[in-house]
């Protein structure tokens, strides 16, 4: 039997590419010189898209592939996939939940610690020879503080567990209370920010959460507050965040996600009170291997008629 044809929107690590190449005919969209011509050439044979969280699959792309059966996403966030179009057209969508949760939560904790304890500044103090001239300025304690988690899903819950181990007091904002969790539910995001020392965003992206962390929420966090975002850049009013950081209206931030990645607003690079990461929450070998395996297992399940492991649509 001939191999199913799969359109890939961007590359995966070598260990995935080798396996995918052995099982499927892979069409590498990112290598095409003329995207329209490339899609037209393979339109009648592509049965699957293997994509990444940030590349997604738009309705426009899916429309051009009339034989499309499944979109398998390397990432848990499906905000860049037009789920409505997929559902209306009977196209399956899968993602990679759970396998990345712990590493993303780890990075969230690392960003909080790095921003509060100003680890990059301490590193520079030692590295640049400033230490012999004098001691570094004092920083902010993390343990025992009040942490507000915005969006209490898998990653939010894993982050809260870590913060609890630092003896922090946890409260959270979600659409509905989670009675199984031993943390206080706060249904008003401004109120949550006002009563928190640190605000940590772990929400899903997409239109439902766009700009939900508004200027008002950031101001409510206050001049001693630290903001951490490990969700999507879209969840925060980024201009308001930048203004607040530049003007010292919040103490600092730890950010893994931004608008317009990777060409982020250059104002971020000039901030001394902010720790930046290149959307690397899931960026460990262990997690990326597990994510790639899940993408491949979902495709294999689909093409063998078995139930999908992690269906979204
Ligand atoms: N930084 C990274 O590298 C990285 C890695 C993986 C995931 N992520 C992001 O983290 C997000 C969360 O992942 P997860 O596995 O925890 O997903 P999840 O679905 O378990 O959690 C998302 C939470 O957001 C909540 N939510 C959605 N819309 C909301 C709204 N309008 N108001 C309040 N709460 C709302 C949901 O109820 C859910 O609890 C992903 O969607 C992705 O965007 C980032
Ligand atoms: O590559 C990514 O975007 C992240 O590592 C994981 O994807 P997600 O953030 O879409 O889950």
């Amino acid at each position: 039997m001939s191999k199913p044809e799969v359109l890939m929107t961007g590359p995966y690590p070598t260990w995935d590419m080798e396996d995918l190449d052995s099982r499927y005919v892979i069409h590498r969209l990112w290598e095409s010189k003329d995207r329209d011509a490339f899609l037209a050439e393979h339109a009648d044979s592509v049965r699957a898209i293997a994509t990444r969280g940030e590349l997604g699959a738009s309705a426009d792309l899916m429309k051009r592939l009339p034989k499309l059966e499944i979109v398998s996403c390397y990432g848990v966030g499906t905000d860049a996939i037009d789920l409505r179009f997929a559902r209306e057209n009977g196209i399956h969508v899968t993602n990679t939940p759970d396998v990345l949760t712990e590493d993303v939560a780890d990075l969230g904790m690392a960003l909080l610690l790095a921003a509060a304890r100003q680890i990059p500044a301490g590193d520079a103090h030692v590295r640049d020879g400033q230490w012999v001239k004098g001691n570094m300025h004092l920083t902010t304690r993390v343990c025992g503080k009040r942490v507000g988690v915005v969006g209490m899903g898998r990653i939010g819950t894993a982050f809260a567990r870590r913060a609890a181990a630092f003896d922090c007091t946890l409260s959270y904002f979600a659409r509905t209370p989670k009675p199984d969790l031993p943390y206080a539910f706060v249904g008003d995001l401004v109120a949550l920010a006002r009563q928190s020392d640190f605000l940590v965003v772990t929400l899903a992206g997409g239109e439902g959460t766009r700009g939900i962390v508004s200027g008002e929420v950031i101001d409510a966090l206050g001049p001693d507050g630290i903001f951490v975002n490990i969700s999507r850049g879209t969840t925060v009013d980024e201009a308001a965040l930048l203004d607040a950081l530049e003007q010292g209206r919040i103490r600092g931030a730890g950010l893994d996600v931004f608008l317009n990645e990777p060409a982020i607003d250059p104002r971020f690079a000039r901030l001394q009170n902010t720790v930046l990461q290149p959307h690397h929450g899931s960026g460990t070998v262990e997690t990326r291997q597990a994510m790639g395996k899940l993408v491949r297992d979902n495709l294999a399940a689909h093409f063998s008629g078995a139930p999908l492991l992690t269906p979204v649509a």
Side-chain angles (χ1 to χ4, degrees), residues 140-301:
T140 298
R141 170 183 291 180
V142 169
C143 67
K145 292 287 179 69
R146 300 167 302 169
V147 178
V149 178
V150 184
M152 200 44 119
R154 288 171 291 248
I155 294 170
T157 308
F159 177 85
R161 238 182 18 250
R162 285 156 175 74
F166 277 74
D167 294 332
C168 292
T169 305
L170 272 299
S171 306
Y172 67 98
F173 168 83
R175 284 175 292 199
T176 51
K178 321 260 174 216
D180 294 345
L181 293 178
Y183 315 125
F185 169 73
V186 180
D188 179 325
L189 199 39
V190 173
L192 179 71
R194 194 174 293 123
Q195 68 174 60
S196 299
D197 299 304
F198 310 134
L199 199 66
V200 181
V201 185
T202 66
L203 284 167
E207 287 316 309
T209 57
R210 187 176 292 279
I212 196 167
V213 181
S214 62
E216 193 187 356
V217 173
I218 292 163
D219 281 335
L221 186 57
D224 291 326
I226 291 176
F227 177 75
V228 172
N229 193 358
I230 48 173
S231 66
R232 285 286 184 265
T234 51
T235 58
V236 57
D237 179 341
E238 201 173 77
L241 175 65
L242 279 160
D243 288 347
L245 286 164
E246 285 172 353
Q247 295 160 18
R249 285 188 282 113
I250 59 172
R251 184 178 293 278
L255 305 171
D256 188 42
V257 288
F258 307 85
L259 295 178
N260 305 317
E261 297 172 8
I264 67 167
D265 194 315
R267 289 167 71 191
F268 281 112
R270 294 192 285 271
L271 292 168
Q272 296 301 312
N273 54 357
T274 303
V275 182
L276 310 175
Q277 285 289 292
H279 196 145
H280 226 223
S282 65
T284 67
V285 170
E286 294 88 343
T287 280
R288 291 290 166 87
Q289 284 181 339
M291 288 165 65
K293 182 169 184 314
L294 195 44
V295 169
R296 291 186 276 111
D297 287 351
N298 272 307
L299 289 174

Side-chain angles (χ1 to χ4, degrees), residues 38-53:
F38 187 84
L39 288 172
E41 186 187 343
H42 302 297
D44 285 328
S45 52
V46 166
R47 296 173 60 194
I49 292 176
T51 189
R52 299 197 313 225

Side-chain angles (χ1 to χ4, degrees), residues 11-75:
Y12 291 179
T14 310
W15 54 72
D16 293 317
M17 295 307 304
E18 285 172 354
D19 185 73
L20 288 166
D21 276 325
S22 73
R23 291 170 197 271
Y24 307 102
V25 176
I26 299 291
H27 300 296
R28 291 164 163 76
L29 184 57
W30 71 96
E31 288 180 356
S32 67
K33 299 263 182 300
D34 181 336
R35 185 184 160 94
D36 289 338
F38 187 84
L39 288 172
E41 186 187 343
H42 302 297
D44 285 328
S45 52
V46 166
R47 296 173 60 194
I49 292 176
T51 189
R52 299 197 313 225
E54 79 281 16
L55 299 171
S58 65
D60 177 61
L61 177 63
M62 291 188 271
K63 261 182 214 156
R64 295 177 189 215
L65 305 169
K67 304 281 167 54
L68 185 63
E69 298 164 20
I70 182 168
V71 177
S72 191
C73 179
Y74 183 92

Side-chain angles (χ1 to χ4, degrees), residues 99-134:
V99 294
L100 46 64
T101 298
E102 304 301 328
D103 279 349
V104 182
D106 275 357
L107 191 74
M109 201 65 212
L111 281 169
L112 176 55
L113 286 164
R117 298 302 303 268
Q118 299 183 36
I119 289 173
D123 182 89
H125 194 79
V126 176
R127 206 178 284 277
D128 302 347
Q130 302 163 51
W131 193 11
V132 288
K133 298 177 201 151

